[in-house]
């Protein structure tokens, strides 16, 4: 499987979502690593536009779900419908039975809805009544959320956050990028605009995922990856101040996610081996939603990204 098709799709995404190359690369990493992606940022930063553009580049069914406080679990999973002509209940599939799901403003929905989504993300199945239904082989949840400081938002449960492969934090674009955005919305042609590629087939995606898992990782690099995750659990081995800022570190699921994302990044770069730079590049995105900061860190104004930046400085690079 050649990375050229994915590179073409990446170029197309970059032409549709201006000034966010790290975001568009992370979308493809999530596809290659068979994971779900959480994107946080203020409204108007093209989060939904980017996911729509990705869905057009993948062969499969796409569905957008707008999360609201009055959403019910059955609105996601589907429900049993009574057919009076037959006297039987027939299961009516909900939107989760599509291949690519855009969960828009996911942190506006109540806990019961998050629980239904958690089963789908973790087990690739849903349960309605006494029956369990498998989801498609290609199944991705690309979720957007607004910052928790905004009105009507609720923090996602830690167990659900851990199921997201990565979390991306988007910020406002630079002035020159915003000028290009303005011209793009007026329908003006921009230099470097890319035509939409042929959609990637599901067979091509599954073949690429297999290639990614076969990327070589040296034992020293592998040990480095593991130490970066363990450092979030044992920060006292590196720095006493770090230890006072961290309450909980990443789980073994974080180690698996970091491994897959680093391999996918190397594969997208056209290499057949993983470097420490690959791991360092995806480390903040894989870990920022998995670590829990202490009250001391919040009082000191320390962010998860700051803690992870310090850990990268403390753990010796091979």
């Amino acid at each position: 499987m050649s990375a050229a098709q994915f590179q073409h799709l990446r170029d197309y995404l970059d032409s549709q979502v201006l000034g966010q190359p790290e975001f568009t690369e992370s979308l493809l990493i999530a596809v290659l690593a068979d994971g779900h992606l959480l994107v946080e940022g203020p409204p108007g930063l093209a989060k939904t536009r980017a996911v729509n553009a990705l869905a057009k580049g993948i062969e499969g069914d796409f569905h957008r779900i707008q999360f609201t406080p009055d959403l019910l679990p059955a609105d996601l999973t589907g429900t049993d419908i009574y057919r009076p002509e037959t006297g039987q209940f027939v299961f009516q599939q909900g939107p989760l039975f599509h291949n690519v799901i855009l969960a828009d403003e996911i942190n506006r929905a109540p806990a019961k809805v998050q629980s239904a989504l958690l089963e789908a993300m973790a087990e690739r199945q849903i349960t309605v009544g006494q029956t369990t239904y498998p989801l498609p082989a290609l199944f991705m949840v690309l979720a957007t959320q607004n910052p928790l400081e905004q009105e009507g938002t609720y923090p996602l449960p830690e167990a659900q956050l851990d199921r997201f492969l990565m979390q991306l934090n988007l910020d406002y674009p630079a002035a020159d990028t915003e000028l290009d955005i303005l011209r793009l919305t007026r329908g003006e042609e921009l230099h470097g605009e890319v035509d939409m590629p042929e959609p990637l087939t599901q067979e091509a995606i599954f073949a690429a995922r297999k290639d990614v898992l076969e990327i070589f990782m040296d034992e020293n690099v592998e040990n480095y990856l593991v130490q970066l995750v363990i450092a979030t659990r044992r920060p006292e081995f590196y720095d006493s101040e770090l230890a006072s800022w961290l309450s909980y570190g990443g789980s073994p699921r974080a180690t698996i996610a970091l491994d897959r994302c680093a391999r996918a990044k190397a594969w997208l770069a056209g290499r057949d081996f993983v470097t420490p730079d690959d791991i360092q590049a995806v480390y903040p995105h894989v870990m920022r939603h998995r670590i829990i900061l202490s009250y001391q860190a919040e009082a000191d104004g320390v962010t998860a990204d700051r803690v992870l930046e310090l850990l990268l400085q403390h753990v010796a690079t091979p």
Side-chain angles (χ1 to χ4, degrees):
M1 175 65 197
S2 170
Q5 291 174 278
F6 281 84
Q7 186 58 50
H8 191 183
L9 177 56
R10 181 178 178 181
D11 292 341
Y12 171 70
L13 293 175
D14 285 336
S15 72
Q16 295 299 303
V17 185
L18 305 180
Q20 300 283 5
E22 198 170 21
F23 177 28
T24 55
E25 181 185 48
S26 296
L27 287 171
L28 295 184
I29 288 176
V31 173
L32 289 167
D34 189 16
H36 312 292
L37 187 65
L38 179 62
V39 185
E40 179 176 317
L45 293 187
K47 301 186 294 293
T48 304
R49 179 185 177 90
V51 175
N52 276 319
L54 175 67
K56 291 176 183 176
I58 294 177
E59 183 184 78
D61 299 325
F62 168 72
H63 195 91
R64 176 182 179 272
I65 307 170
Q66 181 64 50
F67 279 61
T68 57
D70 60 348
L71 202 67
L72 298 174
D75 295 330
L76 300 184
T77 61
T79 188
D80 290 325
I81 304 295
Y82 181 69
R83 302 293 187 190
E85 60 272 17
T86 62
Q88 295 180 329
F89 285 91
V90 177
F91 179 65
Q92 181 71 45
Q93 292 184 350
L96 286 183
F97 284 88
H98 292 77
N99 299 111
V100 181
I101 305 295
L102 169 58
D104 218 358
E105 298 186 304
I106 187 174
N107 58 336
R108 294 195 183 277
K112 285 187 177 180
V113 174
Q114 304 297 352
S115 178
L117 185 60
L118 175 60
E119 182 188 10
M121 293 172 60
E123 310 297 336
R124 306 297 174 98
Q125 66 181 31
I126 63 160
T127 302
V128 177
Q130 302 297 318
T131 308
T132 298
Y133 303 91
L135 293 172
L138 176 63
F139 176 73
M140 291 181 60
V141 175
L142 303 171
T144 69
Q145 71 172 7
N146 295 330
L148 292 178
E149 296 78 15
Q150 293 197 355
E151 186 70 25
T153 60
Y154 309 95
L156 296 179
E158 287 81 1
Q160 184 173 1
L161 284 172
D162 200 30
R163 260 64 179 196
F164 282 103
L165 183 78
M166 293 187 290
Q167 177 183 333
L168 275 292
N169 289 347
L170 303 187
D171 204 352
Y172 292 109
D176 55 344
T177 302
E178 193 141 354
L179 187 60
D180 286 338
I181 293 172
L182 187 61
R183 291 168 177 165
L184 182 65
T185 56
R186 290 202 301 254
E188 299 179 22
E189 289 191 10
L190 299 179
H191 177 69
E193 195 163 353
V194 178
D195 294 332
M196 189 176 76
E198 284 291 320
L200 291 169
T201 64
Q202 294 189 25
E203 290 75 14
I205 292 173
F206 294 143
R209 287 176 178 176
K210 183 179 178 183
D211 290 345
V212 165
L213 292 177
E214 293 174 355
I215 292 285
F216 174 74
M217 185 182 294
D218 185 81
E219 187 176 347
N220 290 329
V221 177
E222 201 169 43
N223 287 331
Y224 174 62
L225 183 150
V226 171
Q227 288 305 315
L228 281 173
V229 178
I230 291 179
T232 64
R233 306 175 203 159
R234 297 286 184 268
E236 64 273 11
F237 293 163
Y238 300 94
D239 186 89
S240 59
E241 193 171 40
L242 273 173
S244 70
W245 289 341
L246 269 169
S247 294
Y248 293 96
S251 70
R253 192 178 284 114
T255 308
I256 296 169
L258 188 58
D259 175 76
R260 291 197 171 195
C261 290
R263 291 174 187 271
K265 183 172 179 61
W267 189 85
L268 282 173
R271 283 183 278 105
D272 60 357
F273 60 93
V274 177
T275 68
D277 289 341
D278 296 322
I279 297 172
Q280 293 166 5
V282 298
Y283 182 65
H285 308 318
V286 170
M287 300 301 300
R288 66 164 55 98
H289 58 297
R290 289 185 162 96
I291 62 174
I292 299 178
L293 301 184
S294 66
Y295 291 116
Q296 181 65 45
E298 294 181 14
D300 293 344
V302 176
T303 63
D305 283 357
R306 176 59 179 159
V307 170
L308 295 172
E309 180 186 344
L310 291 173
L311 287 173
L312 281 174
Q313 295 174 10
H314 280 85
V315 179
T317 306

